[in-house]
Amino acid sequence: MTNDNQPATHPAAAVPDRLFDDAAAEARWRARFHAARVTLPDWAWQAPDRTVYASNASGVWEIYAWDRSTDTHRQVTDRPNGTLNATVAPDGDHIWWFNDTDGDEFGTWVREPFAGRPADEPPAPAVPGAKAGYPAGLDIGDTVVAAGVADDDGTTIYLSRDGAEAEVVYRSEHDGGVAALSFDETLLAISHSEHGDNRHPALRVLSVADGSVVAEKWDGEGKGLDAVAFSPVEGDQRLLVVHERRGREELLIWDVAEDTETELTFDLPGEVSAGWYTNGAALLVVHTHEARNTLHRYDIASGQLSTLDTQPGVIGSAHTRPDHTVEYSWSNAASPAAVRALHSDGSGRVLLEAPGEKAPESSPLVDAFVEYENGRVHALVARPADAPDGPLPTVFALHGGPHAADEDRFSAYRALWLDAGFAVVHVNYRGSTGYGSAWRDAIEGRPGLTELEDVAAVHEWAVSSGLANPAQCVVNGASWGGYLSLLALGTQPDLWAAGVAGVPVADYFAAYEDEMEPLRAFDRALFGGSPAEVPDRYTACSPLTYVDKVKVPVLVLAGENDPRCPIRQIDNYLDRLAAQGTTYEMYRYDAGHGSLVVAETIKQSVIEVHFAQRALGLR
């Protein structure tokens, strides 16, 4: 067993050489992490055989080029902390990728030829004249590029024509970004929050020619609009938009030229998103309901909705090709991710496979619906395949976001906890997406504390149902989930035997001061103001407020370059734990809000499970 160097004030987390004495068990869990994965390839509009995707095949998530005409693959990026954001230009001649520093998310877009660049030449700046910052949307046309940049000054949107120096077309102190460029490159849709609420944005359409305002759309307080894309047909100025006018995410088509809109209603129980078929005559609809997805084709002229043949599980992303083939990524909790193609004749195939051995399968997730005074909480539950009868040590894995959701998707991380003998409970608490606007927005004004009421209700169910041993419950999460974990340890000290918090908000006042401006805007919308304006709310919802109530072992993991949950506010919390003599351990790593390096992900995962085992007396 080894220990990494840490600041003297923070005890270093133990890093075991192995978790299992059984060699086969040890190899199985590591194989799930090491198995190479690929994302759904993005393709060039005018050169459909030229595609780009991300993969961890090298041991680090990097960008790859795939020429389908020759079936050749090339690794595009090779950086110590990885690269994830990339696309391909419409003509297929260049690949664009976002160049930040050590995972800090702050940088610029660069580009290089699809076929590659000389080893001694750096990639070229993709938007000359644009300042560095956090990415706030990008859309690339034949002659026009729209790029958004966020920084402490707010939002700046640039237009570059024919590769010339970028011009500022929009600037605001409020959060916003590029939403969509029309296919004929005459209109630019932007998202903005000039009304003061970036959680429920409005839309504005600008003229590319002179930056003048062509149209506006805002549904009013508490109702957001998200532009998906303009129709992919020359001269067609219909914009596909997601709205929430009836309390859930639905679709409308806004004809900007005619200033008319058509709401699309489907006989589906959950929420929907969509993209265009390449002829503009139909939509590829992704339906989300109770943590799973289905795919559908919607014919706009006839209004007919048909269901496409996909297996039960989660569609990570999906798009169509010029021949109307649907390509999508898919997984469920038991089966590793796959990138598949579904042809118009109904036949299907695996589209792209990562090299090497596939990940071993894992246990399925089952649903639990917990009714209590605040509503019906959906949880996803897994038991170890060889678990004995009776209550088990249980990890309550709280997702990040908060506006996200745990889904029935494959996870090497979850599988490791199961292999270690823990039951796993995912809680889609209030604040989660996929359950309607009211559920998502219920945390406004009281974030953290609201979600933990739902977690406590699921905890009570897990214990009373015989799943969880009440003396061996671990609260665990990263990002917002890490924040909830620390807050739970202080506000629900009798429920938890240990806590694990990855890249958390720990001191909300210091976090607000140091975090990226788009997140400050999000916090102002969530809390109803800044810490200076509503200090009592931030105090009530900050883990630091309750640190003296923490009485069980705590593990915190944090990135040195994290712009979302910065390191100083985490140190503030750990200093308080140290001063009061609470048992805790700390692991720091040289990256940002998480890691794209497989070995680092494995290391952090084994640290977490090993810590929980020791805290619960299982080792």
Side-chain angles (χ1 to χ4, degrees):
M1 184 179 298
T2 61
N3 286 286
D4 286 341
N5 292 328
Q6 301 283 324
T9 54
H10 301 323
V15 187
D17 297 324
R18 58 190 298 131
L19 277 176
F20 302 105
D21 294 331
D22 179 72
E26 183 73 12
R28 183 174 61 249
W29 80 259
R30 290 183 180 273
R32 293 195 190 96
F33 283 90
H34 282 296
R37 291 177 286 161
V38 294
T39 62
L40 181 68
D42 185 22
W43 57 274
W45 183 262
Q46 297 161 16
D49 284 338
R50 292 194 164 189
T51 64
V52 297
Y53 62 92
S55 176
N56 65 345
S58 70
V60 181
W61 281 97
E62 297 287 4
I63 305 304
Y64 289 76
W66 176 26
D67 189 331
R68 299 193 191 189
S69 64
T70 59
D71 196 25
T72 54
H73 299 254
R74 177 179 71 85
Q75 184 174 333
V76 178
T77 56
D78 185 8
R79 304 194 304 152
N81 286 296
T83 315
L84 205 54
N85 293 331
T87 189
V88 60
D91 60 10
D93 286 348
H94 287 86
I95 294 170
W96 291 49
W97 52 273
F98 192 76
N99 186 23
D100 66 350
T101 303
D102 296 329
D104 66 359
E105 302 180 51
F106 191 94
T108 59
W109 287 99
V110 296
R111 70 174 197 164
E112 60 181 82
F114 186 88
R117 55 184 166 85
D120 58 349
E121 288 186 11
V127 190
K131 64 181 177 178
Y134 303 105
L138 174 74
D139 210 331
I140 308 170
D142 285 337
T143 62
V144 175
V145 172
V149 175
D151 59 15
D152 285 346
D153 295 327
T155 303
T156 306
I157 295 178
Y158 294 91
L159 284 180
S160 174
R161 299 174 175 84
D162 293 314
E165 193 84 358
E167 306 168 9
V168 175
V169 71
Y170 176 81
R171 181 181 284 123
S172 174
E173 64 180 307
H174 300 283
D175 188 34
V178 171
L181 181 67
S182 65
F183 196 72
D184 60 11
E185 302 177 36
T186 64
L187 299 177
L188 174 65
I190 68 170
S191 172
H192 73 85
S193 57
E194 294 171 8
H195 52 289
D197 180 3
N198 73 342
R199 298 176 59 252
H200 303 93
L203 295 176
R204 177 174 298 153
V205 179
L206 306 178
S207 166
V208 169
D210 58 12
S212 61
V213 176
V214 174
E216 302 261 14
K217 190 172 290 291
W218 182 46
D219 278 353
E221 184 176 350
K223 296 179 180 179
L225 293 169
D226 291 305
V228 178
F230 279 98
S231 165
V233 176
E234 192 75 30
D236 186 351
Q237 296 185 339
R238 291 176 299 161
L239 180 63
L240 181 61
V241 177
V242 175
H243 71 89
E244 49 181 315
R245 295 170 180 174
R246 287 179 288 273
R248 60 175 181 162
E249 291 189 353
E250 298 179 281
L251 299 169
L252 65 83
I253 296 175
W254 179 19
D255 189 325
V256 177
E258 300 295 329
D259 196 23
T260 60
E261 66 175 46
T262 303
E263 292 186 10
L264 309 179
T265 57
F266 307 131
D267 186 20
L268 297 170
E271 299 189 328
V272 294
S273 59
W276 294 94
Y277 273 75
T278 56
N279 61 2
L283 300 177
L284 178 63
V285 177
V286 181
H287 169 232
T288 300
H289 180 58
E290 294 179 351
R292 296 168 182 88
N293 303 124
T294 53
L295 276 180
H296 307 264
R297 184 186 186 276
Y298 176 72
D299 184 85
I300 296 173
S302 68
Q304 181 178 0
L305 183 73
S306 54
T307 301
L308 303 182
D309 185 16
T310 59
Q311 294 175 280
V314 172
I315 306 296
S317 53
H319 61 222
T320 62
R321 297 272 290 175
D323 64 356
H324 295 179
T325 294
V326 174
E327 297 177 347
Y328 62 99
S329 59
W330 169 92
S331 77
N332 63 30
S335 304
V339 175
R340 301 190 59 86
L342 182 63
H343 302 289
S344 55
D345 63 2
S347 63
R349 64 186 175 94
V350 174
L351 173 68
L352 178 63
E353 286 191 294
E357 296 293 326
K358 295 181 180 179
E361 294 189 345
S362 185
S363 300
L365 285 166
V366 297
D367 299 299
F369 295 96
V370 179
E371 301 271 5
Y372 84 118
E373 60 186 3
N374 290 319
R376 181 175 184 253
V377 187
H378 184 201
L380 296 163
V381 181
R383 284 178 60 94
D386 57 353
D389 294 335
L392 298 171
T394 302
V395 58
F396 289 74
L398 309 183
H399 67 74
H403 297 338
D406 276 314
E407 299 174 309
D408 185 8
R409 67 172 68 243
F410 189 78
S411 168
Y413 178 74
R414 180 197 311 118
L416 173 58
W417 285 99
L418 293 170
D419 285 357
F422 288 81
V424 178
V425 178
H426 299 285
V427 183
N428 281 334
Y429 49 73
R430 279 173 290 172
S432 301
T433 53
Y435 299 88
S437 302
W439 189 262
R440 181 200 63 208
D441 293 343
I443 65 175
E444 290 180 356
R446 193 172 173 267
L449 300 174
T450 301
E451 299 94 305
L452 290 179
E453 291 175 352
D454 298 343
V455 174
V458 174
H459 177 280
E460 181 180 358
W461 164 85
V463 171
S464 63
S465 69
L467 171 71
N469 182 335
Q472 293 183 317
C473 290
V474 179
V475 63
N476 172 27
S479 192
W480 194 264
Y483 158 65
L484 293 178
S485 295
L486 293 183
L487 192 62
L489 294 174
T491 61
Q492 303 169 337
D494 296 330
L495 297 187
W496 310 109
V500 176
V503 290
V505 174
D507 171 1
Y508 228 123
F509 286 87
Y512 182 89
E513 292 175 0
D514 295 351
E515 68 190 4
M516 61 200 325
E517 172 54 30
L519 287 184
R520 285 199 288 263
F522 181 89
D523 285 339
R524 290 192 296 271
L526 188 60
F527 282 86
S530 69
E533 295 167 324
V534 287
D536 290 349
R537 293 184 183 180
Y538 283 84
T539 298
C541 299
S542 177
L544 189 65
T545 301
Y546 310 97
V547 67
D548 61 331
K549 305 294 184 183
V550 176
K551 58 184 182 181
V552 298
V554 185
L555 170 66
V556 176
L557 306 93
E560 294 282 4
N561 308 312
D562 191 344
R564 298 174 180 268
C565 298
I567 197 71
R568 179 175 71 96
Q569 53 94 26
I570 292 173
D571 281 331
N572 291 348
Y573 184 89
L574 296 178
D575 288 344
R576 287 282 298 274
L577 288 180
Q580 67 194 36
T582 303
T583 299
Y584 75 98
E585 294 178 9
M586 168 64 167
Y587 176 73
R588 293 175 185 250
Y589 57 95
D590 187 21
H593 197 63
S595 177
L596 301 178
V597 180
V598 173
E600 180 63 33
T601 302
I602 291 174
K603 186 176 184 179
Q604 292 181 27
S605 300
V606 74
I607 285 172
E608 293 184 22
V609 174
H610 182 65
F611 171 84
Q613 289 175 326
R614 290 182 289 121
L616 271 56
L618 303 177
R619 294 186 72 94

